[in-house]
Amino acid sequence: MAASVDPRPDEFSRGNPAAVPQGGPAEGRAPAPAAAGERPARRGVQARSPFAPRRAPEPLMFSDTQFFRRTVFVSGMTIATALVLALIWNASEVFLVLFASILVAVLVRSPINWIVRHTRLSPTMALALSVLTLGAVLGTLVYIFAVPMAEQLGQLMSQLPRAMARLRESLREYQWARPLLLEMSHAKLDMRTLGQARGLISSTASALIGLLIVIFIGVYLAAQPRLYQRGFMHLMPKHMRPRAAEVLDEIGSVLRWWLLGRLIVMLLVGFAAGVGLWWLNIPLAATLGVLSGLLEFIPYLGPILSAVSPLLIAFNVGPDDAFYVLMLYIAIQTAEGYLISPLIEQRTVSLPPALVIFATVLLAALAGPLGAVLASPLTAAGIVAVRLLYVEDVVEQVEKLNA
């Protein structure tokens, strides 16, 4: 009598194809049931042992035509990227002027949206009302402060060389200051060099022309923002246009809140500096206060630059006055950094300080003063673009697929 054979594999042979008796359904034996948590093997496919070495992936082979097309594509993208970077490098001021116009458009457009929401005026009438209001405010400020500030600016440019000369005479009495004076002499920072700063006034006409160009472009952008946005959308594939529109709207919102925050800080700092200098009987207090407020547009570096001129003027009056002015600016910047800015940034936009300083120094080296002025809003717009287009659309999508 033949011994019966158990067709089921034992515990040792489960999952090991070599230990399973040969033969299948054709020989009358049913396939072994799958263990708990184990995928059943498909019919006609031999189960793979977990201890067996994995096969190396076969190399991806391209035909000559595919290889040629890929080579041309990569070369074209490299050349296009190099041309774009060269264009940005050589025409950086043009792009910065365009970005400044966008900031003006955002500033003009903000009251338009509020007027349309709270009144029955059309967007065209709201635009006209907004432009006329801003023009009236600027015209009034120019009428009130232009002539006195022009006279005080001339006095300031004439007093700075004398203040620097007196500072150098005072520093010669100290041994520790002699290396500093030697460096200053190497840099030719004397009365004659500072006196040449009056040449900056002659460039006021070109600066005003550039400002007018920025304002006109900004007004046209604010009048029909969707027109230019749709034109930009046509440069992209259709499936990317909705996401691009979301990114542009988010950048516009961030720039709007950033501008609002900076304007509030500029007004408060300029007012505090002007009143403080007037209380200390420092000459040209109004001009120095306005200058401090304007330089506050450049975060972190602007306040340092705004304190230089008041300190030199105060030192020309007396060392004690210079000390009081230094304490005044330290108090203003302490209040601005630890009280005013945090309260405003809770409602507006907060930027990483190290990133803003790095961007300011970099753009100042690449594009001059205009780059330093626009570094902070450019950083805000860049952060939004990276967060939406890279972090959310690339990194988080890859993490979801891996999960």
Side-chain angles (χ1 to χ4, degrees), residues 178-258:
R178 292 180 180 177
L180 178 61
L181 293 175
L182 183 61
E183 293 295 331
M184 293 170 62
S185 62
H186 289 166
K188 298 181 179 180
L189 188 60
D190 51 14
M191 291 179 58
R192 184 178 58 185
T193 304
L194 287 175
Q196 294 175 355
R198 297 177 181 177
L200 294 174
I201 301 177
S202 61
S203 62
T204 304
S206 59
L208 289 177
I209 292 175
L211 181 61
L212 289 177
I213 293 174
V214 169
I215 292 175
F216 275 109
I217 296 177
V219 171
Y220 279 113
L221 290 176
Q224 294 178 315
R226 295 300 176 185
L227 173 64
Y228 301 99
Q229 183 176 353
R230 286 195 301 268
F232 181 75
M233 291 296 117
H234 285 305
L235 300 177
M236 298 185 177
K238 290 186 178 180
H239 68 278
M240 297 178 60
R241 292 176 185 177
R243 184 57 172 170
E246 293 178 4
V247 173
L248 291 179
D249 290 340
E250 183 66 20
I251 290 176
S253 176
V254 168
L255 291 178
R256 186 180 303 112
W257 286 109
W258 182 88

Side-chain angles (χ1 to χ4, degrees), residues 32 53 58 92 94 109 169 175 182 197 209 217 233 260 275 293 318 325 334 370 373 376:
E58 296 181 359
S92 58
V94 176
R109 193 71 191 179
E169 292 294 333
Q175 183 69 25
L182 183 61
I209 292 175
I217 296 177
M233 291 296 117
L260 178 62
V275 172
V325 170
T334 302
L370 186 59
V373 171
S376 185

Side-chain angles (χ1 to χ4, degrees), residues 22-247:
Q22 300 297 323
E27 298 181 8
R29 289 192 292 268
E38 187 176 316
R39 291 184 178 180
R42 291 181 296 176
R43 291 182 180 273
V45 179
Q46 187 178 12
R48 185 176 179 274
S49 172
F51 302 101
R54 295 185 177 181
R55 294 181 179 179
E58 296 181 359
L60 186 62
M61 303 299 292
F62 295 107
S63 64
D64 294 339
T65 304
Q66 291 176 335
F67 179 77
F68 176 75
R69 289 178 178 175
R70 286 179 176 269
T71 304
V72 171
F73 176 77
V74 173
S75 302
M77 291 298 296
T78 304
I79 295 174
T81 304
L83 290 176
V84 170
L85 292 178
L87 178 63
I88 294 175
W89 176 269
N90 294 320
S92 58
E93 293 185 359
V94 176
F95 289 101
L96 290 176
V97 167
L98 177 60
F99 185 77
S101 303
I102 294 174
L103 288 180
V104 173
V106 171
L107 179 63
V108 174
R109 193 71 191 179
S110 299
I112 293 176
N113 298 330
W114 186 88
I115 293 173
V116 171
R117 285 196 304 266
H118 294 82
T119 64
R120 297 182 179 181
L121 294 178
S122 63
T124 304
M125 294 298 298
L127 173 65
L129 180 61
S130 176
V131 172
L132 290 176
T133 302
L134 291 177
V137 172
L138 292 177
T140 303
L141 293 178
V142 169
Y143 178 77
I144 294 175
F145 296 104
V147 176
M149 284 187 61
E151 296 177 355
Q152 291 186 7
L153 185 61
Q155 298 176 14
L156 176 63
M157 301 307 296
S158 63
Q159 290 185 17
L160 283 179
R162 294 198 297 267
M164 180 59 69
R166 183 173 179 179
L167 177 62
R168 293 179 62 181
E169 292 294 333
S170 300
L171 290 178
R172 284 196 180 98
E173 301 176 0
Y174 303 96
Q175 183 69 25
W176 56 268
R178 292 180 180 177
L180 178 61
L181 293 175
L182 183 61
E183 293 295 331
M184 293 170 62
S185 62
H186 289 166
K188 298 181 179 180
L189 188 60
D190 51 14
M191 291 179 58
R192 184 178 58 185
T193 304
L194 287 175
Q196 294 175 355
R198 297 177 181 177
L200 294 174
I201 301 177
S202 61
S203 62
T204 304
S206 59
L208 289 177
I209 292 175
L211 181 61
L212 289 177
I213 293 174
V214 169
I215 292 175
F216 275 109
I217 296 177
V219 171
Y220 279 113
L221 290 176
Q224 294 178 315
R226 295 300 176 185
L227 173 64
Y228 301 99
Q229 183 176 353
R230 286 195 301 268
F232 181 75
M233 291 296 117
H234 285 305
L235 300 177
M236 298 185 177
K238 290 186 178 180
H239 68 278
M240 297 178 60
R241 292 176 185 177
R243 184 57 172 170
E246 293 178 4
V247 173

